[in-house]
Amino acid sequence: MQKVLFVCLGNICRSPTAEGVFRREVEKRGLSDRIQVDSAGTGDYHIGKAPDRRAIAAAARRGVDLSSLRARQVSARDFEEFDWIVAMDKSNLANLQRLCPPQHREKLSLLMEHVPNAPTQEVPDPYYGDESDFEHVLDLLENAAGHLLAKVEAALSSVETGA
Ligand code: 4NP
């Protein structure tokens, strides 16, 4: 088993979209029973809320349903529980580094660092933007999902073979 947590600020725009897009890739490859996916926010403003309606709409246009997701905040347990804790931007990553016990810090990364020759290091916050900003987030996440999944699959094989 490998467990992947996507993290942004509010857990209503980028990280639930990342969760939905990545889960679809996991399902396509028949790995749903071996790779678990979740998302959370570093902030507490939107706990319990569904994703932003613009995020739901943008994901739906690409066949990904986010409507049943609900926002939650990152908790101390997440650092124990997850194998991959993947931040959308540098500010999210800095917050995670501050909260994360030292023995788990190597689980932390920026999503775009998994993408060779990525056009940007960060998935920009679309909250104060418009529809095109949400489309841009989807473009980045759809591209990143396959690259990250290849790494998670490799880790899964080494866990399962005990290598
Ligand atoms: P997210 O976007 O971090 O991608 O979920 C945001 C959502 C809400 C806020 C900021 C970013 N906010 O300040 O309320």
Side-chain angles (χ1 to χ4, degrees), residues 5-12 15 38-49 70-79 82 85 95-96 98-99:
L5 181 69
F6 294 100
V7 177
C8 63
L9 175 59
N11 194 212
I12 56 166
S15 63
D38 196 3
S39 66
T42 57
D44 62 0
Y45 330 104
H46 300 284
I47 292 171
K49 290 204 197 134
R70 294 295 177 266
R72 71 172 182 87
Q73 190 173 24
V74 171
S75 73
R77 235 189 100 82
D78 290 327
F79 299 111
F82 287 88
I85 301 173
N95 284 323
L96 289 169
R98 196 167 41 75
L99 297 167

Side-chain angles (χ1 to χ4, degrees), residues 14-82:
R14 292 164 292 175
S15 63
T17 306
E19 177 185 347
V21 166
F22 192 75
R23 179 172 291 124
R24 178 176 61 178
E25 289 303 306
V26 168
E27 284 168 3
K28 269 192 205 159
R29 299 180 75 108
L31 294 167
S32 302
D33 56 341
R34 293 152 73 204
I35 300 177
Q36 268 182 31
V37 190
D38 196 3
S39 66
T42 57
D44 62 0
Y45 330 104
H46 300 284
I47 292 171
K49 290 204 197 134
D52 187 289
R53 60 188 162 71
R54 298 165 297 171
I56 292 178
R61 286 194 288 273
R62 303 194 191 198
V64 176
D65 180 12
L66 306 181
S67 61
S68 64
L69 302 180
R70 294 295 177 266
R72 71 172 182 87
Q73 190 173 24
V74 171
S75 73
R77 235 189 100 82
D78 290 327
F79 299 111
E80 308 272 339
E81 173 104 1
F82 287 88

